[in-house]
Amino acid sequence: MKLVLINSGWLLRVFEISTCNGNFIVEYNGRGIGNEWVLVDGKRVAGRTSWIWFIPRFDFQLDSKQAVIEVHIRPWLRIYKFSFSLNGEVLYSEP
């Protein structure tokens, strides 16, 4: 399994993940205040539309594996902690 960060920006992280069954593009997007989601190959797999503060955890399936994105946002709308795990193995983490 291989994960590469291909885009990083304000409330945005985009990854390419290679598994034995193919390649996937996973995107976390929190830019629409009140709209926060995770996309896999352009399809929404987790998230919500709400006026409540940001969601700290997204659980979804990726290539029949359990995927988890954890993201923590500062009140001034900056990501200060982010992690991506697949089947319990952390593949990406910041800081």
Side-chain angles (χ1 to χ4, degrees):
M1 223 176 328
K2 181 180 174 186
L3 180 142
V4 176
L5 177 67
I6 58 174
N7 193 1
S8 176
W10 178 68
L11 298 177
L12 176 74
R13 299 295 184 271
V14 182
F15 303 93
E16 182 175 9
I17 301 167
S18 301
T19 71
C20 57
N21 294 322
N23 295 330
F24 303 91
I25 300 295
V26 177
E27 175 183 342
Y28 162 78
N29 189 326
R31 291 181 177 182
I33 307 301
N35 295 295
E36 185 181 19
W37 58 84
V38 173
L39 304 171
V40 174
D41 293 336
K43 295 180 179 140
R44 188 175 171 171
V45 296
R48 71 174 177 194
T49 299
S50 170
W51 292 107
I52 300 173
W53 189 246
F54 290 89
I55 304 167
R57 181 182 170 111
F58 299 89
D59 294 281
F60 58 99
Q61 293 291 317
L62 180 67
D63 190 28
S64 72
K65 296 173 177 54
Q66 181 63 35
V68 176
I69 287 179
E70 292 186 80
V71 59
H72 299 276
I73 309 292
R74 296 262 188 223
W76 47 91
L77 303 180
R78 301 290 296 176
I79 293 173
Y80 71 92
K81 190 173 182 182
F82 189 100
S83 69
F84 188 114
S85 303
L86 201 54
N87 277 354
E89 178 186 352
V90 176
L91 301 177
Y92 179 85
S93 180
E94 55 182 79

